[in-house]
Amino acid sequence: MTIEPTNKRKPENLNNYKNSMNKVLKFCVFTFLIILGQVSDAQTKPISQKSTVNEGVVKKNSSTTKTCCTAAIPNRFGVKPSSKFNVLKEEIRPNVKNSEGMVWIPGGTFSMGGDNDQARQDEFPKHDVKLNGFFMDVTEVTNAQFAQFVTATGYITTAEKDINWEDLKKQLPSDTPKPEPETLKAASLVFVPTEGEVSLQDYSQWWSWTHGANWNHPKGKDSDVVGKEDLPVVHISWDDANAYCKWAGKRLPTEAEWEYAARGGLVKNVYTWGNEKVDEGKIHCNSFQGYFPYKNVGSDGFTGSAPVKSFVPNGYGLYDMAGNVWEWCADNYNNTYYDSFKEVKVVFNPKGPIKSFDPDEPLVAKKVMRGGSFLCNESYCSGYRVSARMKSSADSSMEHLGFRCVTN
């Protein structure tokens, strides 16, 4: 988590800011920001590692891309039936009382994992997965829905609580000093565009650790969600999402269920809509158009999150399975989890690894997130690919992080 004032900083003051950062805050920002659609293999370096403003600067006319998002993607592919995506025809759709606002995803077998050279190492090897059918929310959980939950239960989200130092220090090196009490006050991460081109190696430049930011005040204490009831609820931790699911009589989807549903019946396609690149042809989802992180031209009509159902649904009738906001899954994250299926012909209803492990932060247990967000950009990240995996600790929250539910 980046601790900084909510007002924008000029590039020339950046070095002074870095030098004054408390050590614990440097570790906190990395814990939270690793999930971002902007993070690539080249970025996952300790924040204390120096970088200059000239390093990795995005040029407006640059054709250079990160290794995790090469532009070598075919414009279109014909969608053809395949034995790798078979619907279980004999399956009977159950009668579930709390399935309003959900769609039935019929059980079947599909090939899970990366489908092009943008895919990262943790998306391989591809492996066949067989799932039972389930209901999934048509949209991400909205502000209106989450407000009903809070009104009924009095629930207080993670972002609304002060940070418990005893819990946080377990994720940090043993010699990390305790920060000032004010630093540990309730807050969450808010995106703040930079004033121009900056080094993409230092994501603290566009994220602000903002006191008072939470689901009901997404931009900070002076903001609210009035008139935004149909936007996806954000600043939601994995713990918050599970609390909502329990109240609603539902659960978070497994990572396999999420990817299966996102594919919408398409076979070995890169996106929920097929293989046409996100920045070609018609607009498919809410993403960052322009020059990240300073100029979003808003070609899709939005520069932040969009109301649910603003874009065409996938083959199963699910909205925003690509872009808009990241979505929590039930699974622990482990970077080598897919390796465990190398010798397995078909995996049945996988629930994720027993133990979490992320080599970037070995001390932090993490959960999986999927789908990308309004901050994903094709020239720098491709989190809206159906196989793209991200991760963060269960207590993480930020402006582009929400969830949806499933049930059997």
Side-chain angles (χ1 to χ4, degrees), residues 18 45 71 76 88 130-131 145 160 165 176 202 205 252 257 259 269-270 291 294 301 307 328 331 333 351 384 402:
K18 287 182 180 178
K45 300 177 181 179
R76 287 179 175 79
L88 303 180
K130 185 175 183 179
L131 297 172
Q145 292 172 315
E160 296 173 276
W165 170 244
T176 302
D202 183 4
Q205 296 175 97
L252 287 176
E257 287 173 335
E259 182 172 324
N269 277 239
V270 177
Y291 312 106
Y294 65 96
W328 286 112
D331 304 34
Y333 173 80
K351 306 296 183 184
Y384 30 64

Side-chain angles (χ1 to χ4, degrees), residues 270-271 278 285 287 322-323 371-373 376-378 381-386 388:
V270 177
Y271 308 104
V278 70
C285 68
S287 61
S373 80
C376 287
N377 180 279
E378 185 70 2
C381 116
S382 53
Y384 30 64
R385 292 178 297 103
V386 289

